[in-house]
Amino acid sequence: MVILFININNINNNNNNNNNNNNNNNNNNNNNNNNNNNNNNNNNNNNNNNNNNNNNNNNNNNNNNNKKLCNLNSLTFFIGVCYPSSNYCSQDDIIGLMTQYTILNVLQFEMSFNASTNLHCYNSEYQTVKIQSNAGTWVLTGISIFFILNIFIGTMIDYLLIYKLKQYRKNYSSQYSLLNPKSYYEPLNLQQHQDGFNELESTIINNNERIKDTTPPFYSFLYDKFEKSNDDYENNIFVKYFQCWSLIKNFNSLVNTSTPKGYFQSLDGIRTLGTCWVILGHTILFTIDGFGLDNLQSLGSAFSSFSFQVITGGEFAVDTFFTLSGFLVAYSLIVILNKVEKERTTIGQSIKFWILYVIHRVVRLTPLYYFLIFFSMWVMPLMGSGPIYYQFDSFANAQCSNYWWTNVLFINNFYLNECYGVAWYLANDMQFFLLTPFIIVLYRKSKAIGWILAVSLMIASMMATLAVSIKYEIPTFFDMLGTEAQQLAPHPTSQLITNIYQKPYYRIGAYIVGILIAFIYTDSNLSRKARYIYHLRTTRYLLYGISLFITFFFTYISYDFYKNSNNFVGQWTTIQKSLYNGFSHTTFSIGVAIIVLATFYGYGGVVQWFLKLGIWKFFSKLTYSSYLVHPLVIAYRLYSMTNFLHYSTIEFSILYIGNVVTTFATAFVIHLLIEKPFINLERLLFSSK
């Protein structure tokens, strides 16, 4: 079959009420992807032709609902139609075929339609738009091959020279060197090595006779090399380099759940749950912003339900990440600088320290980040199939082809045409990271000045957000459908929302909260007082109540906005919306900080127990990879669709669970292949410095 997708723009709203209610009665194929649900009342794609009267009734009911929903000046929608297969689709042929279907009525609206640019044919043999590989594809392929070779060599070295030789040393006696091949050939004294008997038992067959195989293993030439050399191969720089890529070493590191002294175990649970919360919000957001649903009105009703607000509240997961990042960076700096203070350092050594401070962060974050950006641009558009997958190229390259360099420099959050949408968080985090040393240095000079500076920045950020929101009447952040923003002309509110949501001076409040936690925890006097406050049952439970109220209130306050909304435009005043925009993110972070401090001092009850479960440590190591890769996982699923999605609680839950599982599975792979090797390399280069 040939599947056609037609992109129709600028539909006159006055004609929306004249839709023909029988658009669905002409398609008898399950691959029919009519997306007239939002505008042409086709919310019954799966009930084909069995009962025309039922279809007409359902469509008439949906027509009334859609009048309420589609109240915009213009709308873009897609119509998928299955026609008899052919090797070539001409515009004239398709327009001619369309006259035989009631879908032709759609074209009778007052709209702009250009068949040469809006018509797309797809089948197994022919596509109107077929994405081709380019130079970037081959460059990234070469880089991937280089990674794979390093991984193969590193894994073999780790297995043969480390794992196997340690095994020989254990079996044949501790008196032999780790790299002494003679231990392989010398006889085994069973009287001295009873513990090794079970490992030798497998060589006993047929009447308990041992097969004496004196043939050395195929890799024995390596042992001969080591025997003739006096080099310490365990400390050889090339061996260490390739070990950084070893799957054995990296897998063992990933599954190791031991916790060193000073490790904040509760943060593992917060990281993991926060990542799942981000995926939850983006699952619904990507679905709305993508090719839509066949029952958008049902989703609109879901927005008005109380339980649904946990999805719209997903925006606070990023504030939680900012808080944790602010705490860990500030805490690490204070501890390190306290140690350095005991040593006499020159100006040159101080400069070197701060240069390495920045390099460490860059090397830690950028390899996987850069790889995924260019992988999404040059490789992923070639990986999928389906009638709309050709548009993945536009999804990945619409902005990245011109603005990828802003991501490389971590300034992408200052550009409206942003590449790799979720990367705005990384840009903010890097900018906060560079600002933190100035705050910490002043804090160590004078704790009072450090506190005043940090609190002033936090308050200034909230007040600036409040002022801008009032001036430009900016809608709330949880207005996920964006209809309110489009109706507030002439102000360019959609851009201002992006500016507020992604700009560092409006988002630094949550990060400062994390720095203040570090101030309290590292100050012996304040820490002792905080511990005492948590020790007292009355004040401890009071703090628990405050934390619960703050986090619950800001997560579910959107219910008040949606329950009385009209076309998703709430009844809140400009002041109400501005107060929410100005104070919600920083205040939510304060609520989280109360629980975080409680877990540091051994309190928190069942919450502490839950956040410190050992399983979270495994998944927390994958959270960075998961955050970066999850938009590609979700987009790949959406652009590979052959039918439009249908919203219901069960179907959305299954979709979300699939996204979480697939995201963490993908993160597991790229962590072992890319992220962890570069972490090891960074430690190899800078650990001694």
Side-chain angles (χ1 to χ4, degrees):
M1 304 295 289
V2 176
I3 301 177
L4 304 139
F5 271 76
I6 306 170
N7 186 355
I8 303 176
N9 298 301
N10 300 325
I11 302 174
N12 190 317
N13 285 328
N14 295 329
N15 293 317
N16 282 344
N17 300 330
N18 299 321
N19 294 339
N20 189 305
N21 295 320
N22 294 314
N23 285 341
N24 288 324
N25 296 332
N26 296 298
N27 295 319
N28 298 316
N29 191 304
N30 287 333
N31 288 328
N32 180 5
N33 297 313
N34 291 341
N35 190 23
N36 296 330
N37 305 287
N38 301 343
N39 314 285
N40 301 301
N41 322 310
N42 296 326
N43 295 319
N44 229 356
N45 284 340
N46 294 326
N47 301 323
N48 294 320
N49 301 326
N50 293 328
N51 193 325
N52 290 340
N53 291 328
N54 289 339
N55 282 342
N56 290 336
N57 291 334
N58 289 336
N59 286 329
N60 285 330
N61 291 333
N62 288 331
N63 186 38
N64 293 328
N65 291 331
N66 285 340
K67 290 177 185 177
K68 300 177 182 179
L69 178 64
C70 301
N71 194 26
L72 304 178
N73 294 327
S74 64
L75 201 63
T76 299
F77 65 98
F78 295 82
I79 306 170
V81 186
C82 297
Y83 288 131
S85 181
S86 62
N87 292 330
Y88 179 75
C89 306
S90 70
Q91 298 173 24
D92 294 338
D93 290 341
I94 298 306
I95 298 300
L97 284 170
M98 292 181 73
T99 60
Q100 303 176 32
Y101 294 84
T102 55
I103 198 173
L104 179 64
N105 291 322
V106 175
L107 298 178
Q108 294 175 351
F109 287 105
E110 294 179 10
M111 65 180 78
S112 62
F113 173 70
N114 186 339
S116 62
T117 58
N118 295 96
L119 198 62
H120 175 71
C121 298
Y122 171 86
N123 63 17
S124 59
E125 300 176 356
Y126 174 81
Q127 296 89 40
T128 303
V129 178
K130 191 169 184 178
I131 307 301
Q132 302 292 334
S133 60
N134 53 36
T137 306
W138 295 109
V139 169
L140 204 63
T141 301
I143 293 174
S144 301
I145 293 173
F146 173 76
F147 288 171
I148 292 172
L149 287 175
N150 279 277
I151 292 166
F152 175 77
I153 296 172
T155 304
M156 293 303 297
I157 287 177
D158 211 22
Y159 178 74
L160 295 177
L161 304 187
I162 307 301
Y163 176 76
K164 290 295 289 184
L165 289 176
K166 283 183 178 180
Q167 201 174 50
Y168 296 152
R169 182 181 186 182
K170 177 182 177 181
N171 291 342
Y172 291 99
S173 178
S174 59
Q175 64 179 311
Y176 298 109
S177 169
L178 174 64
L179 299 178
N180 185 0
K182 291 183 178 180
S183 61
Y184 180 83
Y185 302 106
E186 292 186 7
L188 178 68
N189 187 337
L190 292 179
Q191 297 299 322
Q192 299 178 4
H193 298 277
Q194 289 296 328
D195 293 339
F197 181 79
N198 291 333
E199 295 181 20
L200 300 171
E201 195 175 22
S202 60
T203 63
I204 300 177
I205 60 171
N206 298 332
N207 299 323
N208 295 326
E209 291 184 7
R210 178 192 288 262
I211 296 179
K212 297 181 179 180
D213 185 5
T214 59
T215 305
F218 72 92
Y219 45 79
S220 61
F221 72 93
L222 292 173
Y223 301 156
D224 294 335
K225 276 270 194 183
F226 299 144
E227 185 180 22
K228 297 175 182 178
S229 174
N230 294 323
D231 293 338
D232 184 0
Y233 279 87
E234 287 184 286
N235 296 317
N236 183 279
I237 186 62
F238 292 104
V239 172
K240 283 187 172 183
Y241 165 79
F242 283 112
Q243 271 192 287
C244 293
W245 299 86
S246 170
L247 290 177
I248 297 173
K249 177 180 179 179
N250 294 336
F251 177 79
N252 289 335
S253 174
L254 178 61
V255 299
N256 178 24
T257 58
S258 62
T259 55
K261 184 179 179 180
Y263 184 82
F264 302 100
Q265 193 174 354
S266 61
L267 302 187
D268 292 337
I270 297 175
R271 284 194 199 95
T272 304
L273 296 175
T275 301
C276 293
W277 202 6
V278 169
I279 298 174
L280 176 65
H282 284 166
T283 295
I284 196 69
L285 184 61
F286 278 45
T287 301
I288 295 172
D289 288 345
F291 295 95
L293 302 156
D294 62 9
N295 62 334
L296 186 60
Q297 186 65 30
S298 297
L299 179 61
S301 300
F303 266 80
S304 302
S305 66
F306 183 80
S307 59
F308 193 87
Q309 307 316 309
V310 70
I311 300 177
T312 61
E315 63 186 279
F316 294 116
V318 178
D319 295 290
T320 304
F321 292 153
F322 280 139
T323 301
L324 299 188
S325 180
F327 165 73
L328 292 173
V329 172
Y331 174 81
S332 300
L333 265 180
I334 292 173
V335 171
I336 292 173
L337 291 177
N338 286 341
K339 291 180 180 179
V340 172
E341 186 180 30
K342 299 177 182 179
E343 304 174 2
R344 293 183 178 181
T345 57
T346 64
I347 296 178
Q349 289 174 325
S350 298
I351 295 174
K352 180 181 179 181
F353 170 82
W354 291 115
I355 292 176
L356 292 177
Y357 169 82
V358 175
I359 292 177
H360 162 78
R361 189 71 166 187
V362 172
V363 174
R364 171 65 183 88
L365 297 182
T366 56
L368 179 62
Y369 176 37
Y370 293 171
F371 181 87
L372 288 179
I373 289 176
F374 296 113
F375 183 81
S376 67
M377 292 171 56
W378 297 332
V379 177
M380 283 199 71
L382 304 172
M383 291 175 57
S385 62
I388 57 177
Y389 193 81
Y390 73 97
Q391 294 207 20
F392 189 95
D393 182 62
S394 298
F395 164 79
N397 285 289
Q399 310 300 340
C400 286
S401 58
N402 294 321
Y403 292 95
W404 59 267
W405 59 272
T406 63
N407 294 69
V408 171
L409 298 177
F410 288 95
I411 58 173
N412 47 294
N413 56 329
F414 289 105
Y415 287 79
L416 295 177
N417 300 315
E418 187 184 10
C419 168
Y420 211 85
V422 298
W424 69 269
Y425 164 78
L426 296 181
N428 277 272
D429 191 63
M430 178 62 77
Q431 291 152 16
F432 299 155
F433 176 82
L434 297 176
L435 175 65
T436 304
F438 297 97
I439 299 176
I440 300 303
V441 169
L442 287 175
Y443 170 78
R444 295 183 72 253
K445 294 289 185 182
S446 171
K447 292 181 179 180
I449 293 177
W451 271 93
I452 292 173
L453 175 60
V455 173
S456 298
L457 286 173
M458 183 176 67
I459 294 175
S461 174
M462 292 188 290
M463 298 309 296
T465 307
L466 175 64
V468 171
S469 297
I470 293 175
K471 180 178 180 180
Y472 294 101
E473 301 180 359
I474 296 180
T476 54
F477 291 119
F478 50 71
D479 180 21
M480 298 177 70
L481 294 183
T483 52
E484 182 180 7
Q486 295 185 41
Q487 293 185 359
L488 293 178
H491 299 301
T493 51
S494 59
Q495 294 183 359
L496 285 170
I497 288 175
T498 302
N499 285 344
I500 284 184
Y501 193 77
Q502 298 182 357
K503 293 299 179 289
Y505 27 82
Y506 299 128
R507 299 307 298 265
I508 196 173
Y511 193 90
I512 294 295
V513 171
I515 293 178
L516 296 179
I517 297 175
F519 285 177
I520 295 173
Y521 192 73
T522 56
D523 187 312
S524 58
N525 292 329
L526 287 178
S527 184
R528 184 171 58 253
K529 292 177 181 178
R531 185 185 296 273
Y532 180 73
I533 290 173
Y534 280 106
H535 176 72
L536 296 175
R537 178 176 296 182
T538 302
T539 54
R540 182 169 71 248
Y541 282 98
L542 177 61
L543 288 173
Y544 291 167
I546 293 173
S547 174
L548 179 62
F549 172 78
I550 290 174
T551 53
F552 188 88
F553 175 82
F554 284 108
T555 300
Y556 287 95
I557 188 61
S558 52
Y559 173 71
D560 182 69
F561 176 87
Y562 281 118
K563 69 177 181 180
N564 298 318
S565 64
N566 180 21
N567 294 330
F568 299 101
V569 179
Q571 304 304 311
W572 282 11
T573 65
T574 298
I575 295 297
Q576 286 175 304
K577 289 179 288 186
S578 300
L579 287 172
Y580 177 87
N581 292 343
F583 296 103
S584 60
H585 293 273
T586 302
T587 309
F588 183 91
S589 300
I590 293 173
V592 173
I594 294 173
I595 292 298
V596 168
L597 265 177
T599 62
F600 289 173
Y601 294 124
Y603 299 100
V606 67
V607 174
Q608 178 195 209
W609 168 82
F610 181 73
L611 293 177
K612 289 186 175 182
L613 288 175
I615 191 174
W616 300 132
K617 184 171 184 181
F618 171 83
F619 288 107
S620 71
K621 295 177 182 179
L622 302 176
T623 51
Y624 179 63
S625 297
S626 297
Y627 181 82
L628 284 178
V629 80
H630 84 271
L632 300 183
V633 170
I634 297 174
Y636 187 82
R637 164 70 178 88
L638 293 177
Y639 284 93
S640 299
M641 294 189 308
T642 56
N643 288 289
F644 287 100
L645 296 175
H646 183 87
Y647 178 80
S648 70
T649 302
I650 297 299
E651 290 178 89
F652 176 76
S653 299
I654 294 174
L655 176 64
Y656 166 63
I657 293 172
N659 286 339
V660 170
V661 172
T662 307
T663 294
F664 275 95
T666 306
F668 173 79
V669 174
I670 61 178
H671 174 84
L672 294 180
L673 301 184
I674 303 175
E675 182 184 6
K676 186 59 177 178
F678 280 95
I679 293 176
N680 295 336
L681 288 171
E682 187 272 334
R683 290 174 179 170
L684 179 63
L685 291 174
F686 301 113
S687 60
S688 63
K689 302 177 182 180

